């Protein structure tokens, strides 16, 4: 049988998988095979058999490389033995700690462990405590765990800090050489109230396009902090920025890509100070088309630091207190709003997908715990800045594409054939009369969204449309952005927090100087996208979409082509890592939040249906948990993939995305970051939604429907199931009574005839009882 080299990914249930370095064949490892390896080890396996579905099962032949990073877990003292239970359940096994290797940690504390003896078939792994992080309930502990669990670099090296310390405090005359001074242009920054780094500033004024004598368009200027002036290839700052690839955002804390002196100082477009920037200067027509653009390095001075709330208030009332306070800026804010409106119109014309989704924001108290979770309101100010940044990103992609220079594009492809089939079957099952072709366009998705936006199940339909699309990635192969309906798109507007943007700045600068940027990747200590291939360092990351095969490929020397491909995969993988770490922290905080609400009941909406249960999001709290399929009632539920719902085989009760339910918080597992709910049962005769009438009375008691229960006037699935069960009971009682009466009549008749069978029992006929 064939042999495969790859990386082990453990599973919390004890088994594991090997993701090969080359190819897509994932190999399953039994719990017995996993006893000698750990999550993230590199191994060579032999495929020994295939299961009924043709999936390969492997046997570990050799362990090529052991993971070297510390393992995070809680120190326990059980039966006189010290051990650490890993925070990441994919490790599957506890780590034994000798009594003299506990590092003076107390039982229950969170620690970092270095392995001293690897696991084997007959022995647990052994390690020593290298760092004591603190108590499990200490403020900020969830972030300390996450950055180590996901191996997020969170400490700058001494050489990086030393280089940052040598940077000037302000822009020097030598830094201005070769730049256009536009410090008199009243550029402004518009960000959130809690933002600390400002990497973009905007300005807009009416402009004449063509030979007309009156303004018939707008001049839109987007100025972006020139990080590339201070972060040079080959220097410690560049190596650290590449290794991190992105800033990581947690509630109340940010792990920045660059040291604070750059991110909040020299490269932040703070008000009323000179800053170096790269400018995208555009002419936008009345139809929202970019008529012309130019890039140039500049010196700017932000004239104001505005917030989204403030700008939204000014646009909503130009005579209000906010507008009076910023009277000199009101005209250009109105011009910004005008150009935003035409850009938005052009977005609709080209068929870009635009779903309105509810984003939430966690508000923490002084101890770092959740005080409340609130919806993040998107105002006209948010959309205004978004459209301005999209325009600058499109111009940067077009500029690089026309020059035929290698770079990193932000690529978002349409649905895969498998996801397209699922979506087509779903739309067909709903009977909407809407369908997708073999090569769907963004406009097709937007048309479906528009046609269904007023339906009761609009949320469910839009969720399915979103889930059918692929993840966006960074790649040197341009194949367009499906969601935004752009033929070419890249990231130019956030070089403070994204390394791909920094690379794009370097490419544009090289092109402006009629030069060429030769990418040489800095060495990194660790990367989620690195692996060994044919004696060298290549890159691949499991779980990421593959690089597109369609699109124009620029002919490059093999070494340079590999560098750009590796950079794209590295940046995409680290973006995923940052998202996973952020979600892990949010899940921790939500578990802590709900741990104090065990037993409480809430209304909620089904956000996803799976073969093992329903995910429900609670009203007002914006917390999601699982109602396991065993909590849905005493019958078998089948998952309907086409309709994305669970359906009871006997009763026909259905649960799909968007269904309203009432649940009780039944269990919170902090270690697994999971919250479990159970459906609240109503009295059998009660109408309305589950749990609406408070505590249940007698089983057959009837209670009037309350206003709290009247969700859209629908009957709940649980009520329908209860009614069906009651009818079943009545039918069985009726059948039993009928059989008894029949037996009595038969006995009486037999006695009257004096037959021998008078004393015999009348057997029930086969099939007289309905099959359940």
């Amino acid at each position: 049988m064939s042999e495969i080299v790859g990386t082990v990914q453990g599973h919390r249930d004890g088994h594991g998988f090997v993701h090969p370095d080359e190819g897509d064949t994932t190999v399953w490892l039994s719990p017995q095979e996993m006893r000698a390896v750990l999550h993230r080890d590199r191994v060579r396996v032999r495929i020994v058999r295939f299961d009924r579905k043709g999936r390969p099962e492997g046997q570990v032949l050799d362990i090529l490389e052991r993971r070297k990073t510390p393992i995070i877990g809680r120190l326990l003292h059980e039966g006189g033995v010290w051990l650490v239970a890993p925070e990441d359940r994919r490790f599957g096994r506890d780590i034994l700690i000798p009594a003299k290797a506990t590092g003076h940690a107390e039982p229950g504390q969170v620690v970092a462990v270095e392995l001293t003896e690897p696991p084997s078939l007959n022995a647990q792994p052994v390690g020593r405590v290298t760092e004591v992080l603190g108590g499990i309930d200490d403020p900020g502990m969830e972030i300390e765990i996450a950055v180590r669990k996901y191996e997020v670099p969170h400490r700058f090296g001494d050489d990086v800090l030393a280089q940052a310390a040598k940077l000037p405090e302000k822009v020097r005359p030598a830094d201005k050489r070769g730049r256009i001074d536009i410090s008199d242009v009243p550029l402004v920054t518009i960000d959130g109230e809690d933002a600390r780094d400002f990497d973009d500033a905007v300005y807009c004024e009416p402009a004449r396009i063509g030979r007309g004598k009156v303004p018939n368009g707008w001049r839109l200027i987007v100025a972006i902090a020139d990080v590339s002036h201070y972060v040079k290839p080959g220097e410690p700052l560049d190596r650290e920025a590449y290794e991190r690839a992105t800033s990581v955002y947690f509630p109340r804390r940010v792990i920045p890509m660059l040291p604070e002196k750059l991110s909040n100082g020299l490269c932040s477009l703070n008000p009323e100070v000179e800053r170096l920037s790269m400018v995208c200067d555009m002419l936008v027509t009345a139809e929202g088309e970019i008529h012309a653009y130019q890039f140039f390095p500049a010196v700017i001075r932000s004239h104001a630091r505005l917030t989204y709330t403030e700008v939204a208030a000014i646009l909503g009332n130009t005579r209000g207190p906010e507008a009076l306070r910023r009277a000199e800026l009101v005209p250009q804010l109105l011009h910004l709003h005008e150009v935003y409106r035409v850009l938005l119109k052009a977005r609709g014309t080209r068929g870009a997908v635009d779903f309105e989704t509810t984003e939430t924001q966690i508000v923490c108290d002084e101890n770092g715990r959740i005080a409340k979770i609130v919806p993040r309101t998107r105002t006209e100010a948010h959309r205004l800045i978004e459209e301005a940044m999209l325009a600058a990103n499109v111009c940067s992609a077009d500029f690089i594409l026309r020059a035929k220079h290698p770079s990193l594009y932000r690529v978002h492809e349409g649905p895969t054939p498998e996801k397209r089939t699922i979506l087509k079957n779903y739309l067909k099952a709903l009977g909407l009369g809407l369908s997708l072709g073999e090569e769907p366009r963004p406009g097709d998705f937007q048309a479906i969204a528009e046609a269904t936006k007023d339906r009761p199940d609009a949320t469910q339909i839009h969720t399915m449309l979103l889930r059918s699309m692929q993840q966006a990635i960074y790649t040197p192969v341009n194949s367009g952005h499906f969601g935004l309906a752009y033929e070419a798109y890249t990231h130019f507007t956030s070089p403070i927090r994204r390394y791909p943007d920094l690379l794009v700045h370097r490419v544009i600068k090289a092109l402006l100087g009629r030069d060429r940027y030769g990418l040489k990747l800095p060495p990194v200590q660790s990367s989620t996208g690195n692996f060994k291939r044919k004696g060298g360092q290549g890159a691949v990351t499991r779980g990421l979409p593959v690089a597109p095969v369609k699109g124009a490929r620029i002919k490059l020397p093999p070494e340079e082509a590999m560098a750009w491909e590796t950079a794209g995969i590295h940046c995409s993988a680290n973006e995923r890592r940052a998202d996973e770490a952020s979600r892990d922290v949010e899940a921790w905080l939500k578990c802590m939040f709900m741990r104090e609400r065990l037993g409480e009941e809430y209304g909620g909406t089904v956000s996803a249906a799976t073969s093992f249960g329903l995910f429900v999001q609670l009203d007002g709290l914006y917390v999601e948990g699982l109602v396991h399929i065993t909590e849905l009632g005493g019958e078998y539920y089948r998952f309907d993939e086409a309709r994305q719902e669970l359906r009871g085989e006997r009763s026909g009760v259905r649960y799909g995305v968007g269904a309203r339910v009432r649940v009780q918080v039944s269990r919170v597992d902090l270690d697994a970051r999971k919250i479990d709910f159970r459906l609240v049962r109503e009295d059998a005769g009660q109408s309305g939604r589950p749990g609406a009438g408070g505590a249940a009375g007698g089983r057959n008691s009837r209670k009037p429907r309350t206003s709290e229960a009247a969700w859209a006037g629908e009957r709940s699935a649980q009520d329908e199931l209860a009614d069906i069960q009651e009818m079943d009971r009545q039918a069985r009682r009726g059948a039993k009574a009928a059989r008894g009466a029949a037996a009595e009549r038969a006995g009486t008749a037999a006695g009257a005839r004096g037959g021998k069978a008078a004393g015999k029992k009348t057997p029930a006929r086969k099939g007289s009882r309905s099959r359940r």
Side-chain angles (χ1 to χ4, degrees), residues 758-770:
K760 294 184 178 179
K761 293 182 180 179
T762 304
R765 289 182 297 170
K766 184 177 181 181
S768 64
R769 188 167 184 170
S770 60

Side-chain angles (χ1 to χ4, degrees), residues 3-4 71 126 137 162 223 251 257 268 312 339 347 349 385 449 484 584 704 768:
E3 295 183 3
I4 290 177
I71 299 173
V126 180
D137 292 325
M257 186 180 80
S268 181
V339 78
R347 176 198 280 245
T349 301
I385 289 298
L484 296 173
D584 189 80
S768 64

Side-chain angles (χ1 to χ4, degrees), residues 6-10 16-19 29 34 37-43 45 60:
T7 302
V8 174
Q9 179 176 322
F17 303 91
V18 174
H19 294 297
L29 294 180
M34 286 294 295
V37 298
L38 288 174
H39 174 63
R40 298 283 301 275
D41 284 349
R42 292 191 71 252
V43 297
V45 297
V60 178

Side-chain angles (χ1 to χ4, degrees), residues 186-417:
L187 290 149
V188 297
T189 61
I190 305 176
D191 293 275
E193 280 80 358
D194 56 351
R196 297 179 61 194
D197 56 341
F198 315 114
D199 48 14
D200 56 80
V202 292
Y203 170 77
C204 185
E205 65 183 14
R208 288 187 295 110
I209 300 175
R211 297 182 179 181
K213 294 184 178 180
V214 295
N216 57 349
W218 291 268
R219 182 187 184 189
L220 175 62
I221 297 178
V222 175
I224 306 299
D226 190 1
V227 177
S228 63
H229 181 81
Y230 299 104
V231 181
K232 304 290 187 182
E235 295 181 346
L237 277 171
D238 184 52
R239 184 201 70 230
E240 187 73 21
Y242 175 69
E243 182 161 4
R244 298 183 178 215
T246 181
S247 297
V248 186
Y249 292 86
F250 300 111
R252 299 186 70 197
R253 183 178 170 187
V254 177
I255 308 296
M257 186 180 80
L258 297 169
E260 188 173 349
K261 185 168 184 178
L262 284 168
S263 60
N264 295 348
L266 265 178
C267 293
S268 181
L269 306 183
N270 299 325
E272 302 303 336
V273 292
E274 287 186 333
R275 287 290 183 256
L276 306 182
S277 74
M278 285 293 295
V279 170
C280 180
D281 189 354
M282 297 164 276
L283 286 178
V284 182
T285 69
E287 290 73 35
E289 298 294 328
I290 298 175
H291 177 75
Y293 64 83
Q294 62 176 337
F295 289 92
F296 57 87
V299 179
I300 72 163
R301 180 190 295 267
S302 171
H303 284 226
R305 183 270 202 256
L306 304 177
T307 66
Y308 293 123
T309 305
E310 188 178 9
V311 172
I314 292 172
L315 296 176
N317 183 6
T318 55
R319 296 183 180 180
E322 294 84 0
L324 293 176
R325 191 163 51 249
R326 303 284 191 179
E328 73 284 358
L329 297 175
V330 171
Q332 82 131 320
L333 291 178
L334 292 177
H335 295 323
L336 279 167
H337 190 252
E338 290 167 357
V339 78
Y340 149 68
R341 298 299 298 178
V342 300
L343 289 171
L344 187 64
K345 182 180 178 181
R347 176 198 280 245
T349 301
R350 69 176 185 269
V353 182
D354 187 16
F355 298 139
E356 284 294 334
T357 57
T358 301
E359 296 183 5
T360 58
Q361 177 182 1
I362 293 178
V363 179
C364 294
D365 57 23
E366 296 179 354
N367 296 321
R369 298 289 181 256
I370 293 180
K372 57 183 177 179
I373 303 173
V374 297
R376 195 187 296 272
T377 306
R378 275 174 52 82
T379 65
E380 290 283 278
H382 288 86
R383 299 184 180 94
L384 181 155
I385 289 298
E386 179 183 309
E387 288 296 334
M389 297 305 113
L390 290 177
N393 287 337
V394 169
C395 290
S396 61
D398 184 74
F399 185 59
I400 295 170
L401 198 63
R402 289 176 182 270
K404 297 182 179 179
H405 192 292
S407 183
L408 286 184
Y409 294 93
R410 183 66 167 177
V411 168
H412 178 230
E413 293 202 297
T416 62

Side-chain angles (χ1 to χ4, degrees), residues 425-658:
N425 291 339
Y426 172 73
L427 295 174
K428 183 179 179 180
L430 291 181
L432 295 175
L434 302 170
S435 61
L436 295 173
E438 290 303 312
E439 290 292 333
R441 297 171 299 173
D444 299 333
F445 279 69
Q446 188 61 25
I448 295 173
E450 282 294 321
T452 59
K453 65 181 181 181
D454 296 325
R455 286 174 56 102
D457 56 353
T459 301
Q460 176 181 355
I461 297 170
H462 294 180
T463 299
M464 285 299 297
L465 291 173
L466 282 171
R467 288 177 179 169
S468 70
M469 299 183 194
Q470 298 185 59
Q471 290 180 316
I473 60 172
Y474 295 107
T475 171
V477 182
N478 172 48
S479 62
H481 197 292
F482 182 86
L484 296 173
Y486 287 132
E487 293 183 2
Y489 186 71
T490 192
H491 276 168
F492 164 79
T493 55
S494 296
I496 289 178
R497 60 185 180 89
R498 293 189 304 227
Y499 195 82
D501 302 55
L502 177 58
L503 289 178
V504 168
H505 276 234
R506 289 173 178 170
V507 170
I508 291 175
K509 270 190 173 180
L511 292 174
L512 292 175
R514 300 184 182 280
D515 199 357
R516 182 180 179 83
Y517 176 65
L519 177 63
K520 293 184 179 179
L521 295 180
V524 294
Q525 295 297 319
S526 64
S527 169
T528 54
N530 286 348
F531 78 101
K532 307 293 182 183
R533 177 166 61 188
K534 296 181 181 178
Q537 179 173 302
V540 84
T541 301
R542 295 293 138 196
L544 283 174
V546 296
V549 294
K550 59 185 179 181
R553 286 183 178 270
I554 301 173
K555 292 184 178 180
L556 296 172
E559 185 177 346
E560 187 178 1
M562 176 60 74
W564 281 107
E565 182 184 352
T566 301
I569 295 178
H570 171 82
C571 292
S572 299
N574 284 15
E575 179 187 41
R576 301 290 178 267
R577 177 177 67 180
D579 290 342
E580 289 174 359
S582 298
R583 283 196 295 267
D584 189 80
V585 168
E586 290 187 8
W588 169 291
L589 291 173
K590 288 178 179 179
C591 284
M592 295 292 289
F593 185 59
M594 297 306 295
R595 198 165 64 171
E596 301 172 359
R597 290 161 175 78
L598 284 171
E600 295 184 10
E601 297 179 10
Y602 299 93
T605 304
V606 175
S607 57
T610 70
S611 59
F612 53 85
L614 305 170
F615 286 96
V616 176
Q617 186 179 78
L618 303 183
D619 298 339
L621 296 183
Y622 301 97
V623 171
E624 192 175 67
L626 175 70
V627 178
H628 196 267
I629 196 168
T630 56
E631 295 283 351
L632 295 182
E635 67 171 310
Y636 182 76
Y637 280 82
R638 186 180 298 278
F639 179 59
D640 186 337
E641 187 177 32
R643 293 180 177 272
Q644 292 291 299
E645 65 184 17
L646 285 173
R647 178 183 299 178
E649 279 203 339
R650 182 175 57 80
S651 65
V653 173
R654 299 185 300 175
Y655 295 96
V657 177

